[in-house]
Amino acid sequence: MQFEDVLLSFPEAIPCGVKVASCGGKIILNPEDSYVLQDGDEVLVIAEDDDTYSPSDLPVVWRGSLPMDELIQNSLERILLCGWRRDMEDMIMVLDAFLAHGSELWMFNEVPEKEREKKLTDGGLDIDRLVNIKLVHREGNAVIRRHLESLPLESFDSILILADESVEDSAIQADSRSLATLLLIRDIQAKRLPYREAMVSQAHRGSFSQGSWIGEMQQASDKSVIISEILDPRTKNLLSMSKISDYVLSNELVSMALAMVAEDRQINDVLEELFAEEGNELHIRGADLYLHEGEELSFYEILLRARQRREIMIGYRSADTEKAVINPPAKNERQKWSLKDVFVVIAEKE
């Protein structure tokens, strides 16, 4: 059976790779459609658990064709990192691989500039070999308003607030610091930019009025993205309610990754590729790459269209919801889609 047919053979799971017996058990993510499974090969799938899926008869699925799309070049970005992590060099290398040439990465923390360069070099980063990004150093305390006001906060495309290593031993203290930084940055942005005239839907603002302080911060969030690293799971409830920032719960992610690797150590090879700067990784794609407005298609039909772009589609998020659906049920049932929907795919970097 070819991998293209394997993709449609598991109603409760999504195949996304093959462990090739003839290559010493090497795991290949996103293989060619024409790869034919051999004796001893194993299939890597995304599923709820190892006993929730099984193969079935191959369904009849209409392939269709992709809409005409133009290759959109990556635009220059300006990103701010607030705080200092001990693995900062890894983040910089990944960002250098992703961002367009000429982008800027601003680093704002209390570590002196000369000491930063030494830490990065000791961690294995050769600053002179960065291809796409230019490092801009600023020194200051991210919970002191006047220090933050010295930065052009209204000009950043995205801001990452890191759990600073100086307080990483205390999850509550680290999260308190991150939240304080978040509120200060959003307040400064709201006062600098003319957001009061911006038309923001009531659904986005939730129950907060446009004139309230948190309403203005929510309007500021339409102009730039802030990602806060948090350590305590209880903190995410505060961020979810405010809708002024998104978050990465790093401790929980590490715990879940460890649990998967503990159950099957081969998963470590998969995670290494997904998180490396090269190879396959997770992407969020607009619906216009796969369908037309109002088109009625099954998930399997869109999955086969994504294969024409050498992508494996693993889920989607509808425009009227905030949560993504990974490994959706009823993959062969048609539904109406909107161009505002987005899809989650595994693909190599374009």
Side-chain angles (χ1 to χ4, degrees), residues 96-126:
D96 186 57
F98 277 111
L99 298 178
H101 180 71
S103 297
E104 291 182 353
L105 180 61
W106 288 52
M107 303 176 68
F108 177 72
N109 50 71
E110 295 182 274
V111 179
E113 185 174 341
K114 290 185 178 180
E115 189 176 338
R116 293 181 201 177
E117 294 181 356
K118 183 178 184 305
K119 284 175 176 282
L120 294 174
T121 302
D122 291 345
L125 176 67
D126 187 346

Side-chain angles (χ1 to χ4, degrees), residues 130-143:
L130 293 175
V131 176
N132 294 321
I133 60 175
K134 172 188 175 184
L135 297 182
V136 180
H137 294 280
R138 292 290 186 272
E139 191 174 337
N141 189 326
V143 294

Side-chain angles (χ1 to χ4, degrees), residues 85 162-163 175 228-233 247-257:
R85 288 176 56 100
L162 306 175
D175 288 355
S228 304
E229 180 189 11
I230 60 175
L231 305 180
D232 192 320
Y247 63 87
V248 172
L249 191 49
S250 55
N251 282 349
E252 190 174 84
L253 283 176
V254 172
S255 298
M256 290 188 289

Side-chain angles (χ1 to χ4, degrees), residues 130-231:
L130 293 175
V131 176
N132 294 321
I133 60 175
K134 172 188 175 184
L135 297 182
V136 180
H137 294 280
R138 292 290 186 272
E139 191 174 337
N141 189 326
V143 294
I144 298 180
R145 187 183 183 96
R146 58 185 173 83
H147 289 186
L148 288 170
E149 287 179 332
S150 67
L151 300 171
L153 295 176
E154 69 278 10
S155 69
F156 293 108
D157 299 288
S158 55
I159 299 172
L160 281 73
I161 301 174
L162 306 175
D164 198 280
E165 67 176 9
S166 63
V167 291
E168 64 182 0
D169 291 337
S170 171
I172 294 178
Q173 186 177 354
D175 288 355
S176 297
R177 183 183 177 91
S178 295
L179 288 174
T181 300
L182 165 64
L183 292 172
L184 285 170
I185 290 175
R186 279 297 189 220
D187 187 55
I188 294 170
Q189 288 179 329
K191 286 177 169 55
R192 286 183 180 178
L193 292 176
Y195 293 128
R196 290 178 175 80
E197 290 74 31
M199 296 301 293
V200 181
S201 68
Q202 185 65 33
H204 178 77
R205 290 199 306 267
S207 60
F208 300 106
S209 65
Q210 186 171 341
S212 68
W213 63 274
I214 199 167
E216 291 179 3
M217 288 184 182
Q218 286 178 349
Q219 293 176 50
S221 70
D222 285 351
K223 300 295 183 181
S224 68
V225 176
I226 295 184
I227 307 296
S228 304
E229 180 189 11
I230 60 175
L231 305 180

Side-chain angles (χ1 to χ4, degrees), residues 14-20 25-31 42-46 257 260-261 264-282 312 314 346-347:
I14 297 180
C16 54
V18 177
K19 180 183 177 184
V20 184
K26 180 181 179 182
I27 293 178
I28 300 177
L29 279 177
N30 190 15
E42 296 178 66
V43 180
L44 171 71
V45 303
I46 293 177
M260 285 192 292
V261 174
D264 187 344
R265 65 182 182 180
Q266 301 171 99
I267 296 296
N268 194 49
D269 296 330
V270 179
L271 295 177
E272 279 188 0
E273 176 164 348
L274 288 176
F275 290 122
E277 63 268 25
E278 300 296 334
N280 286 279
E281 54 235 357
L282 291 171
I312 293 182
I314 65 171
I346 295 176

